[in-house]
Amino acid sequence: MIVSLKELKPKESGIIKGIGASGPLRRRLMDMGITPGATIIMKKVAPLGDPLEIHIRGYDLSIRKSEAEQITVEKVNL
């Protein structure tokens, strides 16, 4: 099932399928290791929903909810 990253619940995982952002935001996300084909795990969601903590490529990363909705993932079970 293809969903945006912000729709993953804590402990759910997925494979990144695409980044809908463009320009500097797209470059910044890709520089942080968020690239198509990478496996991503939702670690935590802040009480008010922003930011989100994810695990990708061996490290934890916090991103904004608005950034996460630009990233499409395919849910998988690890």
Side-chain angles (χ1 to χ4, degrees):
M1 173 189 295
I2 306 271
V3 297
S4 74
L5 177 57
K6 75 173 191 164
E7 295 175 45
L8 288 182
K9 307 257 185 295
K11 299 188 180 167
E12 287 186 334
S13 59
I15 297 173
I16 298 174
K17 291 299 178 184
I19 302 172
S22 61
L25 177 57
R26 181 182 178 88
R27 171 71 5 215
R28 186 162 105 23
L29 292 172
M30 293 182 81
D31 287 346
M32 290 189 291
I34 300 172
T35 56
T39 301
I40 194 165
I41 301 169
M42 180 66 72
K43 300 287 275 183
K44 299 179 195 172
V45 178
L48 297 176
D50 204 14
L52 310 173
E53 186 177 328
I54 59 174
H55 183 82
I56 187 166
R57 299 187 188 275
Y59 69 97
D60 292 339
L61 176 68
S62 293
I63 62 172
R64 294 180 184 103
K65 194 175 185 180
S66 61
E67 296 168 345
E69 66 188 350
Q70 301 289 320
I71 302 165
T72 55
V73 298
E74 180 179 359
K75 283 188 180 181
V76 295
N77 294 324
L78 294 179

